[in-house]
Amino acid sequence: MINERSLQIVEVLAIELEAPLVLDGSCSVSGTIEAMRDRRLGYALITDEDKLVGIFTERDVLLSVLDENEVLQQPVAQLMTPAPVCVHPLDTVWRVVSLMHE
């Protein structure tokens, strides 16, 4: 069972995660959603010239895309959340959760 103390000492590096979905910002919103669905992920990391510039999440789909067919053809870079906060593999899970909460 996970408790508050373990979250304060466990490092992000210790969590086994599958490889993230990384797409170029020019990818269409519909293509991004399709790739997320295919990978069964709730997010895509968005890059520009191999540099992380944003994140596109299920929340972005719900708030910006749902029932907006013309939006689906736009570049995903227009709807992503820019400048996502990055964490270091040695950060504790507690710190990551705290950042997500902010």
Side-chain angles (χ1 to χ4, degrees):
M1 182 167 160
I2 297 176
N3 60 40
E4 184 176 327
R5 177 72 180 131
S6 63
L7 292 177
Q8 292 174 346
I9 60 173
V10 173
E11 297 168 344
V12 173
L13 186 61
I15 301 173
E16 293 182 24
L17 300 171
E18 65 181 272
L21 174 60
V22 179
L23 299 172
D24 186 83
S26 63
C27 184
S28 70
V29 172
S30 61
T32 302
I33 293 170
E34 183 177 338
M36 289 166 58
R37 188 178 324 143
D38 289 348
R39 290 276 309 275
R40 297 181 180 211
L41 291 174
Y43 69 94
L45 300 179
I46 308 302
T47 61
D48 182 18
E49 296 183 6
D50 294 325
K51 180 181 177 195
L52 179 66
V53 293
I55 185 168
F56 185 77
T57 67
E58 292 171 329
R59 183 172 176 85
D60 295 315
V61 173
L62 291 172
L63 297 177
S64 303
V65 178
L66 206 58
D67 295 329
E68 299 290 335
N69 288 331
E70 66 277 358
V71 171
L72 295 174
Q73 303 312 313
Q74 294 178 2
V76 70
Q78 292 182 358
L79 295 177
M80 70 181 186
T81 300
V85 175
C86 297
V87 297
H88 189 276
L90 299 179
D91 283 341
T92 65
V93 174
W94 183 264
R95 173 161 167 64
V96 174
V97 171
S98 296
L99 287 170
M100 290 171 60
H101 207 58
E102 290 175 19

